[in-house]
Amino acid sequence: MSKSVKAALIQHENRGDVRSNLAFIAEQVAAAAAQGAQLILLQELHNGPYFCQTEDPARFDLAEAIPGQSTDYLGALAKRHSVVIVASLFERRAAGLYHNTAVVLERDGSLCGRYRKMHIPDDPGYYEKFYFTPGDLGFTPIDTSLGRLGVLVCWDQWYPEAARLMALAGAQMLLYPTAIGWDMSDEAAERSRQREAWLTVQRGHAIANGIPVLSCNRVGFEPAPDATDDSGIRFWGNSFACGPQGEWIAQAGEVSQTLIVDIDLARSEDVRRMWPFLRDRRIDAYSDLPRRYLD
Amino acid sequence: MSKSVKAALIQHENRGDVRSNLAFIAEQVAAAAAQGAQLILLQELHNGPYFCQTEDPARFDLAEAIPGQSTDYLGALAKRHSVVIVASLFERRAAGLYHNTAVVLERDGSLCGRYRKMHIPDDPGYYEKFYFTPGDLGFTPIDTSLGRLGVLVCWDQWYPEAARLMALAGAQMLLYPTAIGWDMSDEAAERSRQREAWLTVQRGHAIANGIPVLSCNRVGFEPAPDATDDSGIRFWGNSFACGPQGEWIAQAGEVSQTLIVDIDLARSEDVRRMWPFLRDRRIDAYSDLPRRYLD
């Protein structure tokens, strides 16, 4: 297990089709690897537009098998640069059965694990319940040559349960490919609150569990496909990494940007000795957590 | 149920003995009520020094029955000013059985509920496991004329489980009497990280559950009783209130200070409609949360 990991978070605007997005990612991975990056985190559904702005059965054509063309491509990229890649794909599992799936490619090019997004949102502009069957692989971290990775996806980031279960299963860091942005009809103060909430809740997971969090978000404006006006989503970027006390390591802005960060995995040991939250969990009193509501 | 609540967080230095602390609190409650405060939140163990800096059996003399003298005093105060008071006492339940207990006094002076601190810390300077038996009342909110209060205490604030269980049981806000400070042998950067982590994780609970959080922390330096040097704890104050998106409502500094804040309970309904996290919890996949570790 590495004690320190140099990671690259590749935050970008949608470049168009799969070919152009993967080509852009390949360039960025090469550049990051040249700077010593060992771990690459991509944004959610990086191969194309965020297609969930409308419910359109034709969009299922974007889905692909795993393993498949994208994992072949990303595996070759991982091997070429000897990096671990955490990617995010639209998985076609069977006719009528699709998932929002993160995959991990090892340095030798192999597909070493996948995580199917467990918490699926559905609100105006993010019609994900139409496209994605909720994950059935649980909250299982993925072992890699760089450590045990707690890979989660987007909406999961609002759930302390997801972060905790990953930590209890030994995850050494949490990684979120994500795609979140603003409805520009919201006023500036509301947009600011949303972004701040998004940053804060994820830093809270780092703190509560004493492990680093890396979150890679999409950026740029994507118009709603069926809009007659200028409606759409402005993805807010702001990809970031924080340490096990939630302390900032780095934060991106609102442009395409590859963030290169050093993650000190040994710090978790020190922080958890000082703040041994796992020691004092009242597991005798948590039996209602798997209930919907206590009424 | 009120839609808006004016609350006062009374953050102060230890004034000496029980009499002087309660007298100070009475003054502050009167002043806050004169400004329209309806809900009073006191800091953890406000009746005296933070006595857990050493393990000293004589300190159990500080404990008191509930109901008892302090709840009588605080109940009368609540009735006089027609306010709800959330207080924090060292409860003597039986010989050798003590708790760190929050109590809620209704506007009519009655004791309407108690919460016994569930998560008990123990680290240098905070030897609480010696003094406090872990709570046995679970995470049960307390109904008051101002709404259903999710009262938790200090170390609980690091546990998303506690916040979630209160929210699932219908708590409309979370309230933390707390006593946290710095070991001054820590460097400034570490002290800053600790305070920021403390603020962030609690704001995270607000966000994850879509309810406001109020946290009232002790302030000022308290020397270690048995120290031959200048060691002790500098309680960092910074009591605060935030709304259901974690947005700041107000934050105190590092001095004795009563913070008066307006809490809009109706905002939770709006925020939860936009971010319906309770809807999408994967309760089918949370069964491992009541386990110690998944090894």
Side-chain angles (χ1 to χ4, degrees), chain A residues 119 129 159 161 164 193 245 277 280-281 286 289 291-292, chain B residues 119 129 159 161 164 193 245 277 280-281 286 289 291-292:
Chain A
H119 300 98
K129 288 193 193 295
Y159 291 85
E161 292 91 343
R164 181 68 97 202
R193 281 194 299 271
Q245 287 175 302
F277 305 141
D280 296 330
R281 292 177 73 238
Y286 293 167
L289 285 170
R291 290 182 58 188
R292 182 64 70 205
Chain B
H119 299 97
K129 288 194 193 294
Y159 291 84
E161 292 91 342
R164 181 68 97 200
R193 280 195 298 272
Q245 288 175 303
F277 304 140
D280 296 330
R281 292 178 73 238
Y286 293 166
L289 284 170
R291 289 182 57 189
R292 183 65 69 205

PDB file of all heavy atoms in Angstrom, chain A residues 119 129 159 161 164 193 245 277 280-281 286 289 291-292, chain B residues 119 129 159 161 164 193 245 277 280-281 286 289 291-292:
ATOM      1  N   HIS A 119     -27.557   5.417  -5.031  1.00  0.00           N
ATOM      2  CA  HIS A 119     -28.608   6.421  -4.825  1.00  0.00           C
ATOM      3  C   HIS A 119     -28.853   7.142  -6.153  1.00  0.00           C
ATOM      4  O   HIS A 119     -27.938   7.751  -6.694  1.00  0.00           O
ATOM      5  CB  HIS A 119     -28.185   7.429  -3.760  1.00  0.00           C
ATOM      6  CG  HIS A 119     -27.916   6.813  -2.413  1.00  0.00           C
ATOM      7  ND1 HIS A 119     -26.649   6.502  -1.989  1.00  0.00           N
ATOM      8  CD2 HIS A 119     -28.762   6.442  -1.416  1.00  0.00           C
ATOM      9  CE1 HIS A 119     -26.714   5.974  -0.762  1.00  0.00           C
ATOM     10  NE2 HIS A 119     -27.985   5.920  -0.392  1.00  0.00           N
ATOM     11  N   LYS A 129     -33.797   8.548 -12.653  1.00  0.00           N
ATOM     12  CA  LYS A 129     -34.533   7.315 -12.346  1.00  0.00           C
ATOM     13  C   LYS A 129     -35.078   6.658 -13.612  1.00  0.00           C
ATOM     14  O   LYS A 129     -35.373   5.457 -13.616  1.00  0.00           O
ATOM     15  CB  LYS A 129     -35.668   7.586 -11.348  1.00  0.00           C
ATOM     16  CG  LYS A 129     -35.169   7.869  -9.927  1.00  0.00           C
ATOM     17  CD  LYS A 129     -36.302   7.807  -8.910  1.00  0.00           C
ATOM     18  CE  LYS A 129     -35.919   8.373  -7.567  1.00  0.00           C
ATOM     19  NZ  LYS A 129     -34.870   7.611  -6.868  1.00  0.00           N
ATOM     20  N   TYR A 159     -25.136  11.280   0.989  1.00  0.00           N
ATOM     21  CA  TYR A 159     -25.535  10.233   1.944  1.00  0.00           C
ATOM     22  C   TYR A 159     -24.378   9.826   2.860  1.00  0.00           C
ATOM     23  O   TYR A 159     -23.465   9.118   2.437  1.00  0.00           O
ATOM     24  CB  TYR A 159     -26.069   9.018   1.181  1.00  0.00           C
ATOM     25  CG  TYR A 159     -27.389   9.344   0.529  1.00  0.00           C
ATOM     26  CD1 TYR A 159     -27.439   9.962  -0.720  1.00  0.00           C
ATOM     27  CD2 TYR A 159     -28.586   9.134   1.204  1.00  0.00           C
ATOM     28  CE1 TYR A 159     -28.649  10.338  -1.291  1.00  0.00           C
ATOM     29  CE2 TYR A 159     -29.795   9.496   0.637  1.00  0.00           C
ATOM     30  CZ  TYR A 159     -29.824  10.096  -0.605  1.00  0.00           C
ATOM     31  OH  TYR A 159     -31.011  10.473  -1.158  1.00  0.00           O
ATOM     32  N   GLU A 161     -24.474   7.605   4.946  1.00  0.00           N
ATOM     33  CA  GLU A 161     -24.498   6.136   5.042  1.00  0.00           C
ATOM     34  C   GLU A 161     -23.522   5.514   4.036  1.00  0.00           C
ATOM     35  O   GLU A 161     -22.841   4.521   4.350  1.00  0.00           O
ATOM     36  CB  GLU A 161     -25.908   5.599   4.765  1.00  0.00           C
ATOM     37  CG  GLU A 161     -26.961   5.953   5.827  1.00  0.00           C
ATOM     38  CD  GLU A 161     -27.712   7.254   5.530  1.00  0.00           C
ATOM     39  OE1 GLU A 161     -27.226   8.064   4.703  1.00  0.00           O
ATOM     40  OE2 GLU A 161     -28.793   7.448   6.135  1.00  0.00           O
ATOM     41  N   ARG A 164     -19.946   6.096   5.172  1.00  0.00           N
ATOM     42  CA  ARG A 164     -19.639   5.296   6.362  1.00  0.00           C
ATOM     43  C   ARG A 164     -19.437   3.837   6.010  1.00  0.00           C
ATOM     44  O   ARG A 164     -18.508   3.183   6.494  1.00  0.00           O
ATOM     45  CB  ARG A 164     -20.772   5.438   7.385  1.00  0.00           C
ATOM     46  CG  ARG A 164     -20.551   4.671   8.651  1.00  0.00           C
ATOM     47  CD  ARG A 164     -19.400   5.226   9.476  1.00  0.00           C
ATOM     48  NE  ARG A 164     -19.878   6.108  10.522  1.00  0.00           N
ATOM     49  CZ  ARG A 164     -19.128   7.036  11.118  1.00  0.00           C
ATOM     50  NH1 ARG A 164     -17.861   7.213  10.758  1.00  0.00           N
ATOM     51  NH2 ARG A 164     -19.624   7.805  12.072  1.00  0.00           N
ATOM     52  N   ARG A 193     -25.437  28.840  -2.227  1.00  0.00           N
ATOM     53  CA  ARG A 193     -25.753  27.901  -1.146  1.00  0.00           C
ATOM     54  C   ARG A 193     -25.635  26.453  -1.609  1.00  0.00           C
ATOM     55  O   ARG A 193     -25.148  25.596  -0.888  1.00  0.00           O
ATOM     56  CB  ARG A 193     -27.190  28.138  -0.633  1.00  0.00           C
ATOM     57  CG  ARG A 193     -27.354  29.302   0.312  1.00  0.00           C
ATOM     58  CD  ARG A 193     -28.703  29.256   1.030  1.00  0.00           C
ATOM     59  NE  ARG A 193     -29.835  29.334   0.127  1.00  0.00           N
ATOM     60  CZ  ARG A 193     -30.411  30.457  -0.281  1.00  0.00           C
ATOM     61  NH1 ARG A 193     -29.952  31.632   0.121  1.00  0.00           N
ATOM     62  NH2 ARG A 193     -31.448  30.429  -1.080  1.00  0.00           N
ATOM     63  N   GLN A 245      -9.322  15.493   7.830  1.00  0.00           N
ATOM     64  CA  GLN A 245     -10.017  16.437   8.715  1.00  0.00           C
ATOM     65  C   GLN A 245     -10.898  17.382   7.893  1.00  0.00           C
ATOM     66  O   GLN A 245     -11.336  18.409   8.389  1.00  0.00           O
ATOM     67  CB  GLN A 245      -8.996  17.271   9.509  1.00  0.00           C
ATOM     68  CG  GLN A 245      -8.277  16.492  10.610  1.00  0.00           C
ATOM     69  CD  GLN A 245      -7.203  17.324  11.271  1.00  0.00           C
ATOM     70  OE1 GLN A 245      -6.290  17.810  10.621  1.00  0.00           O
ATOM     71  NE2 GLN A 245      -7.305  17.496  12.580  1.00  0.00           N
ATOM     72  N   PHE A 277     -13.435   8.208  16.086  1.00  0.00           N
ATOM     73  CA  PHE A 277     -14.899   8.119  15.973  1.00  0.00           C
ATOM     74  C   PHE A 277     -15.379   6.687  15.808  1.00  0.00           C
ATOM     75  O   PHE A 277     -16.457   6.326  16.278  1.00  0.00           O
ATOM     76  CB  PHE A 277     -15.396   8.974  14.807  1.00  0.00           C
ATOM     77  CG  PHE A 277     -14.967  10.416  14.883  1.00  0.00           C
ATOM     78  CD1 PHE A 277     -14.593  11.099  13.734  1.00  0.00           C
ATOM     79  CD2 PHE A 277     -14.943  11.093  16.097  1.00  0.00           C
ATOM     80  CE1 PHE A 277     -14.202  12.427  13.789  1.00  0.00           C
ATOM     81  CE2 PHE A 277     -14.543  12.421  16.160  1.00  0.00           C
ATOM     82  CZ  PHE A 277     -14.171  13.086  15.001  1.00  0.00           C
ATOM     83  N   ASP A 280     -16.157   4.783  19.108  1.00  0.00           N
ATOM     84  CA  ASP A 280     -17.283   5.136  19.977  1.00  0.00           C
ATOM     85  C   ASP A 280     -18.652   5.055  19.308  1.00  0.00           C
ATOM     86  O   ASP A 280     -19.649   5.490  19.893  1.00  0.00           O
ATOM     87  CB  ASP A 280     -17.068   6.548  20.533  1.00  0.00           C
ATOM     88  CG  ASP A 280     -15.833   6.630  21.426  1.00  0.00           C
ATOM     89  OD1 ASP A 280     -15.496   5.612  22.055  1.00  0.00           O
ATOM     90  OD2 ASP A 280     -15.213   7.705  21.489  1.00  0.00           O
ATOM     91  N   ARG A 281     -18.703   4.513  18.100  1.00  0.00           N
ATOM     92  CA  ARG A 281     -20.014   4.374  17.455  1.00  0.00           C
ATOM     93  C   ARG A 281     -20.938   3.533  18.334  1.00  0.00           C
ATOM     94  O   ARG A 281     -20.531   2.487  18.843  1.00  0.00           O
ATOM     95  CB  ARG A 281     -19.894   3.730  16.069  1.00  0.00           C
ATOM     96  CG  ARG A 281     -19.191   4.629  15.051  1.00  0.00           C
ATOM     97  CD  ARG A 281     -19.027   3.905  13.712  1.00  0.00           C
ATOM     98  NE  ARG A 281     -20.289   3.788  12.998  1.00  0.00           N
ATOM     99  CZ  ARG A 281     -20.842   2.657  12.621  1.00  0.00           C
ATOM    100  NH1 ARG A 281     -20.266   1.488  12.881  1.00  0.00           N
ATOM    101  NH2 ARG A 281     -21.997   2.644  11.981  1.00  0.00           N
ATOM    102  N   TYR A 286     -28.088   1.756  16.640  1.00  0.00           N
ATOM    103  CA  TYR A 286     -28.228   2.180  15.240  1.00  0.00           C
ATOM    104  C   TYR A 286     -29.190   1.298  14.441  1.00  0.00           C
ATOM    105  O   TYR A 286     -29.249   1.393  13.217  1.00  0.00           O
ATOM    106  CB  TYR A 286     -26.869   2.144  14.530  1.00  0.00           C
ATOM    107  CG  TYR A 286     -25.839   3.149  15.003  1.00  0.00           C
ATOM    108  CD1 TYR A 286     -24.508   3.007  14.616  1.00  0.00           C
ATOM    109  CD2 TYR A 286     -26.173   4.245  15.790  1.00  0.00           C
ATOM    110  CE1 TYR A 286     -23.540   3.918  15.016  1.00  0.00           C
ATOM    111  CE2 TYR A 286     -25.206   5.163  16.198  1.00  0.00           C
ATOM    112  CZ  TYR A 286     -23.893   4.988  15.809  1.00  0.00           C
ATOM    113  OH  TYR A 286     -22.930   5.884  16.197  1.00  0.00           O
ATOM    114  N   LEU A 289     -31.413   2.651  11.561  1.00  0.00           N
ATOM    115  CA  LEU A 289     -30.895   3.323  10.369  1.00  0.00           C
ATOM    116  C   LEU A 289     -31.398   2.706   9.066  1.00  0.00           C
ATOM    117  O   LEU A 289     -31.651   3.434   8.105  1.00  0.00           O
ATOM    118  CB  LEU A 289     -29.357   3.356  10.390  1.00  0.00           C
ATOM    119  CG  LEU A 289     -28.769   4.384  11.364  1.00  0.00           C
ATOM    120  CD1 LEU A 289     -27.258   4.183  11.510  1.00  0.00           C
ATOM    121  CD2 LEU A 289     -29.071   5.816  10.907  1.00  0.00           C
ATOM    122  N   ARG A 291     -34.248   1.869   8.376  1.00  0.00           N
ATOM    123  CA  ARG A 291     -35.689   2.095   8.227  1.00  0.00           C
ATOM    124  C   ARG A 291     -35.936   3.384   7.436  1.00  0.00           C
ATOM    125  O   ARG A 291     -35.109   4.279   7.414  1.00  0.00           O
ATOM    126  CB  ARG A 291     -36.362   2.175   9.606  1.00  0.00           C
ATOM    127  CG  ARG A 291     -36.384   0.808  10.304  1.00  0.00           C
ATOM    128  CD  ARG A 291     -37.086   0.876  11.633  1.00  0.00           C
ATOM    129  NE  ARG A 291     -38.459   1.357  11.518  1.00  0.00           N
ATOM    130  CZ  ARG A 291     -39.235   1.658  12.550  1.00  0.00           C
ATOM    131  NH1 ARG A 291     -38.752   1.506  13.784  1.00  0.00           N
ATOM    132  NH2 ARG A 291     -40.465   2.099  12.379  1.00  0.00           N
ATOM    133  N   ARG A 292     -37.091   3.442   6.790  1.00  0.00           N
ATOM    134  CA  ARG A 292     -37.397   4.595   5.950  1.00  0.00           C
ATOM    135  C   ARG A 292     -37.621   5.844   6.775  1.00  0.00           C
ATOM    136  O   ARG A 292     -37.115   6.936   6.472  1.00  0.00           O
ATOM    137  CB  ARG A 292     -38.644   4.286   5.096  1.00  0.00           C
ATOM    138  CG  ARG A 292     -39.050   5.374   4.133  1.00  0.00           C
ATOM    139  CD  ARG A 292     -38.003   5.632   3.056  1.00  0.00           C
ATOM    140  NE  ARG A 292     -37.914   4.541   2.101  1.00  0.00           N
ATOM    141  CZ  ARG A 292     -36.811   4.278   1.394  1.00  0.00           C
ATOM    142  NH1 ARG A 292     -35.722   5.028   1.513  1.00  0.00           N
ATOM    143  NH2 ARG A 292     -36.782   3.263   0.555  1.00  0.00           N
TER     144      ARG A 292
ATOM    145  N   HIS B 119     -22.717   9.147  22.620  1.00  0.00           N
ATOM    146  CA  HIS B 119     -21.317   8.901  22.257  1.00  0.00           C
ATOM    147  C   HIS B 119     -20.422   9.601  23.275  1.00  0.00           C
ATOM    148  O   HIS B 119     -20.495  10.822  23.435  1.00  0.00           O
ATOM    149  CB  HIS B 119     -21.021   9.443  20.858  1.00  0.00           C
ATOM    150  CG  HIS B 119     -21.853   8.812  19.779  1.00  0.00           C
ATOM    151  ND1 HIS B 119     -23.001   9.407  19.292  1.00  0.00           N
ATOM    152  CD2 HIS B 119     -21.715   7.642  19.105  1.00  0.00           C
ATOM    153  CE1 HIS B 119     -23.525   8.625  18.357  1.00  0.00           C
ATOM    154  NE2 HIS B 119     -22.770   7.551  18.215  1.00  0.00           N
ATOM    155  N   LYS B 129     -15.094   9.077  29.599  1.00  0.00           N
ATOM    156  CA  LYS B 129     -15.544   7.699  29.842  1.00  0.00           C
ATOM    157  C   LYS B 129     -15.447   7.352  31.327  1.00  0.00           C
ATOM    158  O   LYS B 129     -16.122   6.429  31.795  1.00  0.00           O
ATOM    159  CB  LYS B 129     -14.745   6.701  29.004  1.00  0.00           C
ATOM    160  CG  LYS B 129     -15.099   6.745  27.522  1.00  0.00           C
ATOM    161  CD  LYS B 129     -14.544   5.524  26.785  1.00  0.00           C
ATOM    162  CE  LYS B 129     -14.602   5.687  25.269  1.00  0.00           C
ATOM    163  NZ  LYS B 129     -15.965   5.754  24.727  1.00  0.00           N
ATOM    164  N   TYR B 159     -21.003  12.325  14.650  1.00  0.00           N
ATOM    165  CA  TYR B 159     -21.650  11.087  14.195  1.00  0.00           C
ATOM    166  C   TYR B 159     -22.863  11.364  13.305  1.00  0.00           C
ATOM    167  O   TYR B 159     -23.924  11.757  13.793  1.00  0.00           O
ATOM    168  CB  TYR B 159     -22.059  10.235  15.403  1.00  0.00           C
ATOM    169  CG  TYR B 159     -20.838   9.700  16.107  1.00  0.00           C
ATOM    170  CD1 TYR B 159     -20.161  10.471  17.059  1.00  0.00           C
ATOM    171  CD2 TYR B 159     -20.305   8.471  15.745  1.00  0.00           C
ATOM    172  CE1 TYR B 159     -18.995   9.999  17.653  1.00  0.00           C
ATOM    173  CE2 TYR B 159     -19.147   7.998  16.337  1.00  0.00           C
ATOM    174  CZ  TYR B 159     -18.498   8.769  17.293  1.00  0.00           C
ATOM    175  OH  TYR B 159     -17.339   8.307  17.867  1.00  0.00           O
ATOM    176  N   GLU B 161     -24.746   9.269  12.148  1.00  0.00           N
ATOM    177  CA  GLU B 161     -25.811   8.352  12.565  1.00  0.00           C
ATOM    178  C   GLU B 161     -26.761   9.017  13.554  1.00  0.00           C
ATOM    179  O   GLU B 161     -27.992   8.825  13.489  1.00  0.00           O
ATOM    180  CB  GLU B 161     -25.209   7.100  13.228  1.00  0.00           C
ATOM    181  CG  GLU B 161     -24.414   6.176  12.297  1.00  0.00           C
ATOM    182  CD  GLU B 161     -22.922   6.500  12.240  1.00  0.00           C
ATOM    183  OE1 GLU B 161     -22.530   7.626  12.642  1.00  0.00           O
ATOM    184  OE2 GLU B 161     -22.149   5.631  11.789  1.00  0.00           O
ATOM    185  N   ARG B 164     -28.901  11.584  11.754  1.00  0.00           N
ATOM    186  CA  ARG B 164     -29.875  10.930  10.873  1.00  0.00           C
ATOM    187  C   ARG B 164     -31.014  10.318  11.672  1.00  0.00           C
ATOM    188  O   ARG B 164     -32.189  10.444  11.300  1.00  0.00           O
ATOM    189  CB  ARG B 164     -29.177   9.837  10.056  1.00  0.00           C
ATOM    190  CG  ARG B 164     -30.093   9.116   9.102  1.00  0.00           C
ATOM    191  CD  ARG B 164     -30.572  10.012   7.970  1.00  0.00           C
ATOM    192  NE  ARG B 164     -29.759   9.836   6.776  1.00  0.00           N
ATOM    193  CZ  ARG B 164     -29.678  10.715   5.792  1.00  0.00           C
ATOM    194  NH1 ARG B 164     -30.359  11.850   5.843  1.00  0.00           N
ATOM    195  NH2 ARG B 164     -28.921  10.485   4.736  1.00  0.00           N
ATOM    196  N   ARG B 193      -7.532  23.666  11.690  1.00  0.00           N
ATOM    197  CA  ARG B 193      -8.170  22.504  11.052  1.00  0.00           C
ATOM    198  C   ARG B 193      -9.225  21.896  11.962  1.00  0.00           C
ATOM    199  O   ARG B 193     -10.294  21.491  11.514  1.00  0.00           O
ATOM    200  CB  ARG B 193      -7.121  21.425  10.728  1.00  0.00           C
ATOM    201  CG  ARG B 193      -6.304  21.669   9.480  1.00  0.00           C
ATOM    202  CD  ARG B 193      -5.555  20.408   9.031  1.00  0.00           C
ATOM    203  NE  ARG B 193      -4.599  19.928  10.003  1.00  0.00           N
ATOM    204  CZ  ARG B 193      -3.322  20.330  10.093  1.00  0.00           C
ATOM    205  NH1 ARG B 193      -2.850  21.224   9.245  1.00  0.00           N
ATOM    206  NH2 ARG B 193      -2.527  19.822  11.009  1.00  0.00           N
ATOM    207  N   GLN B 245     -29.576  24.001   4.403  1.00  0.00           N
ATOM    208  CA  GLN B 245     -28.568  23.760   3.368  1.00  0.00           C
ATOM    209  C   GLN B 245     -27.161  23.950   3.946  1.00  0.00           C
ATOM    210  O   GLN B 245     -26.191  24.086   3.200  1.00  0.00           O
ATOM    211  CB  GLN B 245     -28.758  24.716   2.188  1.00  0.00           C
ATOM    212  CG  GLN B 245     -29.976  24.403   1.334  1.00  0.00           C
ATOM    213  CD  GLN B 245     -30.187  25.449   0.256  1.00  0.00           C
ATOM    214  OE1 GLN B 245     -30.325  26.640   0.555  1.00  0.00           O
ATOM    215  NE2 GLN B 245     -30.205  25.037  -0.991  1.00  0.00           N
ATOM    216  N   PHE B 277     -33.424  13.848  -0.104  1.00  0.00           N
ATOM    217  CA  PHE B 277     -32.493  12.773   0.257  1.00  0.00           C
ATOM    218  C   PHE B 277     -33.180  11.624   0.988  1.00  0.00           C
ATOM    219  O   PHE B 277     -32.793  10.463   0.844  1.00  0.00           O
ATOM    220  CB  PHE B 277     -31.351  13.320   1.124  1.00  0.00           C
ATOM    221  CG  PHE B 277     -30.598  14.463   0.498  1.00  0.00           C
ATOM    222  CD1 PHE B 277     -30.188  15.547   1.269  1.00  0.00           C
ATOM    223  CD2 PHE B 277     -30.305  14.464  -0.856  1.00  0.00           C
ATOM    224  CE1 PHE B 277     -29.499  16.604   0.700  1.00  0.00           C
ATOM    225  CE2 PHE B 277     -29.605  15.523  -1.441  1.00  0.00           C
ATOM    226  CZ  PHE B 277     -29.211  16.592  -0.655  1.00  0.00           C
ATOM    227  N   ASP B 280     -34.553   8.800  -1.304  1.00  0.00           N
ATOM    228  CA  ASP B 280     -33.678   7.896  -2.049  1.00  0.00           C
ATOM    229  C   ASP B 280     -32.716   7.085  -1.186  1.00  0.00           C
ATOM    230  O   ASP B 280     -31.828   6.421  -1.717  1.00  0.00           O
ATOM    231  CB  ASP B 280     -32.879   8.700  -3.085  1.00  0.00           C
ATOM    232  CG  ASP B 280     -33.785   9.334  -4.129  1.00  0.00           C
ATOM    233  OD1 ASP B 280     -34.845   8.762  -4.423  1.00  0.00           O
ATOM    234  OD2 ASP B 280     -33.436  10.418  -4.648  1.00  0.00           O
ATOM    235  N   ARG B 281     -32.882   7.147   0.120  1.00  0.00           N
ATOM    236  CA  ARG B 281     -32.010   6.324   0.978  1.00  0.00           C
ATOM    237  C   ARG B 281     -32.155   4.850   0.595  1.00  0.00           C
ATOM    238  O   ARG B 281     -33.266   4.361   0.413  1.00  0.00           O
ATOM    239  CB  ARG B 281     -32.351   6.507   2.466  1.00  0.00           C
ATOM    240  CG  ARG B 281     -32.020   7.883   3.000  1.00  0.00           C
ATOM    241  CD  ARG B 281     -32.427   8.025   4.453  1.00  0.00           C
ATOM    242  NE  ARG B 281     -31.552   7.274   5.339  1.00  0.00           N
ATOM    243  CZ  ARG B 281     -31.950   6.322   6.178  1.00  0.00           C
ATOM    244  NH1 ARG B 281     -33.232   5.973   6.246  1.00  0.00           N
ATOM    245  NH2 ARG B 281     -31.083   5.698   6.939  1.00  0.00           N
ATOM    246  N   TYR B 286     -28.387  -0.833   3.883  1.00  0.00           N
ATOM    247  CA  TYR B 286     -27.764  -0.200   5.050  1.00  0.00           C
ATOM    248  C   TYR B 286     -27.643  -1.150   6.244  1.00  0.00           C
ATOM    249  O   TYR B 286     -27.333  -0.713   7.348  1.00  0.00           O
ATOM    250  CB  TYR B 286     -28.588   1.008   5.501  1.00  0.00           C
ATOM    251  CG  TYR B 286     -28.623   2.196   4.561  1.00  0.00           C
ATOM    252  CD1 TYR B 286     -29.568   3.208   4.759  1.00  0.00           C
ATOM    253  CD2 TYR B 286     -27.730   2.341   3.511  1.00  0.00           C
ATOM    254  CE1 TYR B 286     -29.621   4.322   3.932  1.00  0.00           C
ATOM    255  CE2 TYR B 286     -27.779   3.442   2.672  1.00  0.00           C
ATOM    256  CZ  TYR B 286     -28.726   4.427   2.883  1.00  0.00           C
ATOM    257  OH  TYR B 286     -28.779   5.530   2.071  1.00  0.00           O
ATOM    258  N   LEU B 289     -24.732  -0.996   8.798  1.00  0.00           N
ATOM    259  CA  LEU B 289     -24.406   0.195   9.595  1.00  0.00           C
ATOM    260  C   LEU B 289     -24.317  -0.099  11.092  1.00  0.00           C
ATOM    261  O   LEU B 289     -23.476   0.492  11.769  1.00  0.00           O
ATOM    262  CB  LEU B 289     -25.417   1.320   9.317  1.00  0.00           C
ATOM    263  CG  LEU B 289     -25.207   2.041   7.978  1.00  0.00           C
ATOM    264  CD1 LEU B 289     -26.382   2.957   7.670  1.00  0.00           C
ATOM    265  CD2 LEU B 289     -23.900   2.825   7.971  1.00  0.00           C
ATOM    266  N   ARG B 291     -22.895  -2.427  12.461  1.00  0.00           N
ATOM    267  CA  ARG B 291     -21.740  -3.295  12.746  1.00  0.00           C
ATOM    268  C   ARG B 291     -20.526  -2.436  13.071  1.00  0.00           C
ATOM    269  O   ARG B 291     -20.416  -1.289  12.653  1.00  0.00           O
ATOM    270  CB  ARG B 291     -21.458  -4.201  11.546  1.00  0.00           C
ATOM    271  CG  ARG B 291     -22.543  -5.273  11.376  1.00  0.00           C
ATOM    272  CD  ARG B 291     -22.240  -6.201  10.228  1.00  0.00           C
ATOM    273  NE  ARG B 291     -20.953  -6.860  10.376  1.00  0.00           N
ATOM    274  CZ  ARG B 291     -20.382  -7.586   9.415  1.00  0.00           C
ATOM    275  NH1 ARG B 291     -20.993  -7.744   8.264  1.00  0.00           N
ATOM    276  NH2 ARG B 291     -19.194  -8.146   9.615  1.00  0.00           N
ATOM    277  N   ARG B 292     -19.610  -3.014  13.834  1.00  0.00           N
ATOM    278  CA  ARG B 292     -18.433  -2.264  14.263  1.00  0.00           C
ATOM    279  C   ARG B 292     -17.502  -1.960  13.102  1.00  0.00           C
ATOM    280  O   ARG B 292     -17.022  -0.836  12.916  1.00  0.00           O
ATOM    281  CB  ARG B 292     -17.690  -3.055  15.350  1.00  0.00           C
ATOM    282  CG  ARG B 292     -16.483  -2.353  15.938  1.00  0.00           C
ATOM    283  CD  ARG B 292     -16.832  -1.085  16.692  1.00  0.00           C
ATOM    284  NE  ARG B 292     -17.556  -1.361  17.933  1.00  0.00           N
ATOM    285  CZ  ARG B 292     -18.374  -0.471  18.505  1.00  0.00           C
ATOM    286  NH1 ARG B 292     -18.578   0.709  17.964  1.00  0.00           N
ATOM    287  NH2 ARG B 292     -19.001  -0.762  19.617  1.00  0.00           N
TER     288      ARG B 292
END
